[in-house]
Amino acid sequence: MGHMIRGILDRYALDFYFPSIQVTDVIEVLILTFLIYQIIVWIKNTKAWMLLRGILVLAVFILLAVIFNMHTILFIAENLVTVMATAAIVVFQPELRRGLEKLGERKFLVSVVPFEGNKEKANFSEETREGMIRASYAMGRVKTGALIVVEQAIRLTEYESTGIQLDCLVSSQVLINIFEHNTPLHDGAIIVRGDRIVSATCYLPLSDNMSISKDLGTRHRAALGMSEVSDALVIVVSEETGAVSAALGGKLYRDIKEDELRKMLTEIQAPKKEEGKLHKFWKGRRKNEKRTDE
């Protein structure tokens, strides 16, 4: 009986292909899986989702043209592929740029490799944080519009150059004076880098997100647009209602309370210690070795 089963297995096993799997093959599959997942998330959170749907519709039409031998449609599609690819790159240039910037952000790198994983650096002091909070809600009580951009890892040099260059410490008094009505610097946004205001009356990119509430004006759309193209935290004070809102990561948090704004500023003020995955693995391995030695 055993010889019969072995004979059957030997006969049919030859018909199956069993590839040899190397360690590099597993690593390659993991890298491709991670990249595909990131691309899908990026497409879902940007206008590229509409582009993908359009491509799928065109693919269905082209498939039908192939099935029914529609030579004219196939000729046109074949000659328009290069033009459409170039047009897509031009139209979605901001999204592509943001995707590449995301790859270069320190948070992304630290999650993969241990570069500077143990260092913790404050972006600005507590005095600066509290000064921005006091100024924001003081201006909100008297309905003075304001737009404060708090820079993080991505340098905002190109937006800084659209305004008037400054170099002064952040304080609630300075911020209130800048945004006071009928003053030379009140129009536009200011950019805060560390503990200093580096530029005022800056022009920010407007968001073209169609889901934004219609009762929000240009100031809120500019705050959201800035958060879409950078990692900056943007504080906006409504001139109509006096409500304080904040934009971060392409999301607008409307009418937030003082404690909520303080929490958001604290999170970007001194990022938590992040150790790269490779560093964690090595650290755990060393720890286990010590226990074994003991």
Side-chain angles (χ1 to χ4, degrees), residues 1-10:
M1 187 67 177
H3 294 289
M4 184 182 298
I5 295 174
R6 189 178 298 107
I8 294 174
L9 291 175
D10 292 338

Side-chain angles (χ1 to χ4, degrees), residues 15-81:
D15 297 332
F16 293 98
Y17 172 67
F18 296 98
S20 58
I21 301 176
Q22 305 294 330
V23 176
T24 54
D25 298 326
V26 176
I27 296 175
E28 187 177 12
V29 170
L30 292 175
I31 292 174
L32 288 174
T33 303
F34 175 77
L35 291 177
I36 292 172
Y37 171 76
Q38 293 296 328
I39 291 172
I40 292 174
V41 171
W42 172 74
I43 289 175
K44 180 181 178 183
N45 295 330
T46 64
K47 294 183 297 183
W49 174 242
M50 294 184 287
L51 173 65
L52 181 61
R53 288 192 296 180
I55 292 174
L56 292 176
V57 172
L58 288 176
V60 171
F61 278 113
I62 294 174
L63 179 61
L64 293 175
V66 172
I67 294 174
F68 295 104
N69 294 321
M70 299 177 181
H71 300 291
T72 305
I73 295 178
L74 291 176
F75 174 78
I76 294 174
E78 183 179 352
N79 287 274
L80 285 180
V81 168

Side-chain angles (χ1 to χ4, degrees), residues 103-131:
L103 290 176
E105 286 183 10
R106 181 180 177 276
K107 292 179 181 178
F108 176 82
L109 293 175
V110 168
S111 66
V112 181
V113 293
F115 298 146
E116 298 182 355
N118 293 326
K119 293 183 180 180
E120 185 175 348
K121 182 180 179 181
N123 293 330
F124 47 85
S125 65
E126 292 185 5
E127 290 79 7
T128 297
R129 181 193 67 196
E130 294 303 317

